[in-house]
Amino acid sequence: MQEANKFYSDYGKRCGFGIQTRTSKKDDNNEELRLVCSREGKYVSSIRPEVKTLPSQTNQCPAGVTITRKDDKWFVRIVVLDHNHELCPQTSNLIRANRKLNMHAKHTLEVNDDVDVRINKSFLSMVGEAGGYENMQFMERDARNFIGQHRRSLCKEGDSQVLLRHF
C-alpha cells in the first residue's frame, strides 16, 4: 500500500499533478486504496466560470489508480491515466500535495528564527542555496506556517515548564 502510494506520488510529480489518497476497508480481508488526481473533488463553485479570475481548484478529474486487497494479496483494479485539465511538470513541485519541507530546511528555519532572522530572509537564502525558485520543494508560505507551528510548540513547552516549577 505504501509502495503504491509512493509510486503514484512520484508519477504525479513527474507528470505535473498532485494526488490524494482515498481508503476504504470492507472487512478484515478486503481493503481498497484509491490514488486520485488532486482535482478529483466534488466541489462545484456557485460563481460562473466566465466571471472567475482563477480556474476552479477541483474539476472532477477522472485520473487515478484503484488497488484492492483480497486475502493478503493486492490487485490493481482500475487505472485511468487521462486528465481533463492541463498538466505542468515544470511546476509540479509547487502543487500543494507535492510540497515538502525537508529536515535541512526545517532546521535552518528554526535556527534562523531563534536568532531573529526574518523568515523572508531565511527563505531567500534557501532559494539561493537551491539555485533558484524552480528548484524549491516548498513556498515561503510553507516556511511561515512551519515557523508559526514551531513558535506555538515552544510556547506550549514553556507553559508546561512554568507549571511544573509551581508544583
Side-chain angles (χ1 to χ4, degrees), residues 31-144:
E31 192 173 357
E32 184 174 272
L33 172 68
R34 289 182 56 231
L35 302 165
V36 297
C37 176
S38 61
R39 293 190 178 187
E40 177 259 355
K42 304 287 185 229
Y43 172 77
V44 179
S45 176
S46 60
I47 302 170
R48 292 190 334 264
E50 307 85 46
V51 178
K52 287 186 175 183
T53 56
L54 294 172
S56 175
Q57 291 296 314
T58 57
N59 56 4
Q60 298 183 348
C61 181
V65 174
T66 303
I67 61 173
T68 306
R69 182 178 64 95
K70 290 186 181 180
D71 301 323
D72 296 328
K73 290 186 181 180
W74 287 93
F75 300 94
V76 176
R77 201 164 59 87
I78 301 169
V79 176
V80 178
L81 298 176
D82 297 326
H83 294 263
N84 62 2
H85 55 89
E86 296 285 324
L87 301 179
C88 189
Q90 295 83 6
T91 59
S92 69
N93 59 332
L94 297 179
I95 294 172
R96 181 184 295 188
N98 297 338
R99 295 191 321 237
K100 302 266 186 299
L101 266 91
N102 61 30
M103 293 304 288
H104 174 71
K106 289 178 181 180
H107 179 71
T108 301
L109 288 168
E110 287 174 352
V111 168
N112 287 349
D113 187 57
D114 290 343
V115 293
D116 296 327
V117 174
R118 292 178 23 205
I119 296 171
N120 65 325
K121 300 296 183 189
S122 294
F123 181 74
L124 286 173
S125 73
M126 287 188 270
V127 169
E129 191 177 301
Y133 289 98
E134 64 277 359
N135 299 324
M136 294 297 291
Q137 298 298 310
F138 60 95
M139 298 169 42
E140 185 174 345
R141 178 189 304 169
D142 301 318
R144 289 185 182 284

Side-chain angles (χ1 to χ4, degrees), residues 17-31:
F17 66 95
I19 72 156
Q20 293 179 349
T21 304
R22 310 263 194 259
T23 59
S24 64
K25 192 168 187 172
K26 297 174 181 161
D27 56 44
D28 289 339
N29 295 327
N30 296 322
E31 192 173 357

